[in-house]
Amino acid sequence: MTIYSTPGSADRFPARAIVVGGGPVGCLAAAMLARHGFEVDVCERRPSFLQHGFGDEGRTINLSVSPRGMRALAKVGCRQDFADAAMPMDRRVVHTRDRQVLITRYEQPGWRNHSIARNELNLLLLRNAQRRPGVRVHFSTACASIDFDRREAVFATSAGEQVRPYHLLVAADGAHSQVRAAMLDSGLLTCQQTTLDARYRELTLRPAEPGRLSRSAIHVWPREGFFLCALPNVDGTFRATLVLPAEGQASFEEIRRTGLRNLVRRHFGDTVPDIDWHTAQSRDAPPARMEQILSSTLHYRNSVVLAGDAAHTMAPFLGQGINAGFEDLITLDNVLARAHPGGLGAALSEYSRERKAQGDAAAMLSMTNYRELTAQTGDGRPPAPVSGLPLPIVINFLGLSYQEVLRQHLTIDGLVPSSIATGS
């Protein structure tokens, strides 16, 4: 067992931070912490995807980064690199069951979302973090256990177990966070976990005719109880996500019985010529589950903080998971900038209060959009919030917090619990 020593203190904060998880949120967290003088070790359980690739192409998805997320990228100086690798989307295109095409263009010049493959974003942010002095990335390094009182984390590596002391531990290890699980086992937090009936799988669309699908749009095929959506890639393809119930009619159970092509033909017939059937997963490939996990707190004293999916795992029906995670880091950056030396505990407590409330609100908004998207008519015309604008526009472009959206636009007939609407 290797034991790593702790370096001396930085000017404002203790020197050593460990970020558990080398995904997009973890890499962005490392860059943010380096700005505040931390020496940062990023510990990622996967082998080096710089050398070996990701190996999970069947599960990788496209992310829609809104102006919320772009603000975080700007803070670490990689907004332009991101823009060069992403596809801007200035409209939403809805494909109805009767093959109407309904286009909603975003009204303002700055109203743009950007589509990017998760793996591409991960690489971009990893390279950005590695350029910073004091940031080290350790692959094939999985968190095995944590002693929260001694501030030591044990990691399993090919060379054996390593004990790494820390002053600050950032959990950015996703929906199945080992850090969150350890906190749960130690009684440091509680979790509210919901497994959704809906499942998803990924498909690739290669338009049969150039220009048939706008490359400047997110495309949605809403149906009663399920939907398909597709985001553009820079190579002209689209990454599509098929969301279906696990069982019943128009479900993954039906796909197992009769095949993917039959289901697509019956419910999304206009996409049949465009789907890359050669790379589509076989009908026996299990769909991915979707869970919602909300934690009672996002920090422990002055030494542990949760961010991204580790903090609030939400359904992907509004595309806010990555944006909420990036907003977590903006808040963490802000509270660290305001904190006085020795005030890390107060900073993390402020972060936790703010981001738990916002994460809970974002999770509820995501489920609200799912209900609207899969409404009875399936015609792509869900009811608009009080503002008169579709919920995705309100969320992404009006500069409102998730809680503000709930209060101002969706507090209808007691829909929003007072504890979330008021932030209590």
Side-chain angles (χ1 to χ4, degrees):
M1 179 180 289
T2 304
I3 300 179
Y4 287 78
S5 61
T6 304
S9 297
D11 292 339
R12 297 192 66 239
F13 294 109
R16 168 155 285 173
I18 296 177
V19 176
V20 181
V25 170
C27 291
L28 185 58
M32 291 279 196
L33 292 173
R35 285 159 43 91
H36 294 280
F38 285 94
E39 295 286 326
V40 185
D41 287 290
V42 180
C43 296
E44 168 56 48
R45 62 175 178 79
R46 294 172 292 177
S48 173
F49 40 80
L50 288 172
Q51 297 178 1
H52 308 297
F54 288 89
D56 60 353
E57 285 75 11
R59 283 282 187 248
T60 187
I61 61 174
N62 272 43
L63 301 173
S64 177
V65 181
S66 75
R68 291 177 180 273
M70 294 290 282
R71 286 191 288 271
L73 297 174
K75 271 183 173 281
V76 296
C78 64
R79 180 168 182 157
Q80 187 57 53
D81 290 341
F82 170 83
D84 291 342
M87 286 294 295
M89 301 179 293
D90 64 0
R91 68 200 71 179
R92 181 174 184 261
V93 178
V94 172
H95 304 259
T96 69
R97 187 183 293 277
D98 59 3
R99 302 203 177 191
Q100 294 185 66
V101 178
L102 309 176
I103 301 174
T104 301
R105 296 178 184 272
Y106 304 146
E107 297 176 359
Q108 304 298 325
W111 287 11
R112 299 287 184 276
N113 290 326
H114 286 78
S115 170
I116 189 170
R118 185 186 190 280
N119 292 347
E120 291 297 321
L121 180 60
N122 203 161
L123 286 171
L124 185 152
L125 290 171
L126 173 64
R127 290 172 177 137
N128 177 270
Q130 288 182 315
R131 288 196 293 266
R132 298 173 184 275
V135 174
R136 297 169 294 274
V137 180
H138 311 276
F139 291 102
S140 299
T141 302
C143 183
S145 64
I146 305 169
D147 187 325
F148 293 103
D149 293 327
R150 292 175 61 88
R151 299 189 186 187
E152 292 180 343
V154 178
F155 292 90
T157 75
S158 59
E161 288 191 338
Q162 297 176 347
V163 178
R164 292 181 178 271
Y166 61 84
H167 293 101
L168 177 63
L169 181 71
V170 179
D173 49 343
H176 304 289
S177 169
Q178 292 299 307
V179 178
R180 186 184 62 213
M183 294 177 71
L184 183 64
D185 290 343
S186 300
L188 305 182
L189 54 70
T190 60
C191 291
Q192 180 186 51
Q193 181 170 347
T194 304
T195 300
L196 307 182
D197 176 62
R199 306 284 191 269
Y200 77 91
R201 69 182 298 175
E202 301 299 321
L203 300 168
T204 297
L205 302 184
R206 300 181 186 276
E209 302 173 9
R212 200 180 80 77
L213 293 177
S214 170
R215 296 180 61 201
S216 301
I218 178 172
H219 294 263
V220 185
W221 290 259
R223 303 293 183 260
E224 184 178 345
F226 59 100
F227 68 91
L228 177 74
C229 70
L231 278 72
N233 292 313
V234 293
D235 64 0
T237 64
F238 290 76
R239 192 66 172 174
T241 304
L242 176 62
V243 178
L244 295 170
E247 299 178 344
Q249 294 185 340
S251 68
F252 283 107
E253 179 186 42
E254 178 183 331
I255 289 178
R256 288 193 298 272
R257 291 196 316 266
T258 65
L260 175 62
R261 190 186 294 264
N262 285 335
L263 182 136
V264 170
R265 185 181 294 114
R266 285 206 303 127
H267 299 289
F268 309 104
D270 55 330
T271 69
V272 171
D274 301 325
I275 291 178
D276 185 343
W277 296 104
H278 295 291
T279 60
Q281 297 177 29
S282 74
R283 70 180 187 179
D284 296 326
R289 293 177 176 270
M290 287 188 283
E291 294 181 320
Q292 179 172 282
I293 306 174
L294 302 177
S295 301
S296 59
T297 183
L298 306 187
H299 83 295
Y300 174 64
R301 295 181 177 174
N302 63 346
S303 58
V304 182
V305 64
L306 309 180
D309 285 348
H312 30 66
T313 304
M314 63 189 71
F317 304 130
L318 256 178
Q320 292 306 302
I322 191 66
N323 293 294
F326 282 3
E327 270 199 347
D328 290 344
L329 300 178
I330 291 176
T331 300
L332 183 61
D333 186 69
N334 289 340
V335 298
L336 291 177
R338 294 194 298 268
H340 58 80
L344 192 56
L348 298 189
S349 180
E350 180 184 350
Y351 164 88
S352 185
R353 287 194 303 271
E354 169 67 16
R355 294 315 300 170
K356 172 173 169 51
Q358 299 301 337
D360 288 357
M364 177 167 287
L365 288 165
S366 180
M367 293 307 300
T368 298
N369 196 56
Y370 176 65
R371 289 191 293 269
E372 294 182 354
L373 191 63
T374 59
Q376 291 293 322
T377 59
D379 64 358
R381 300 180 180 88
V386 175
S387 67
L389 293 171
L391 183 56
I393 290 180
V394 175
I395 286 291
N396 288 319
F397 304 130
L398 296 193
L400 301 174
S401 73
Y402 295 119
Q403 278 191 294
E404 288 171 330
V405 175
L406 281 174
R407 283 196 295 263
Q408 298 182 24
H409 300 272
L410 294 173
T411 309
I412 304 170
D413 297 329
L415 174 65
V416 180
S418 59
S419 61
I420 294 179
T422 63
S424 61

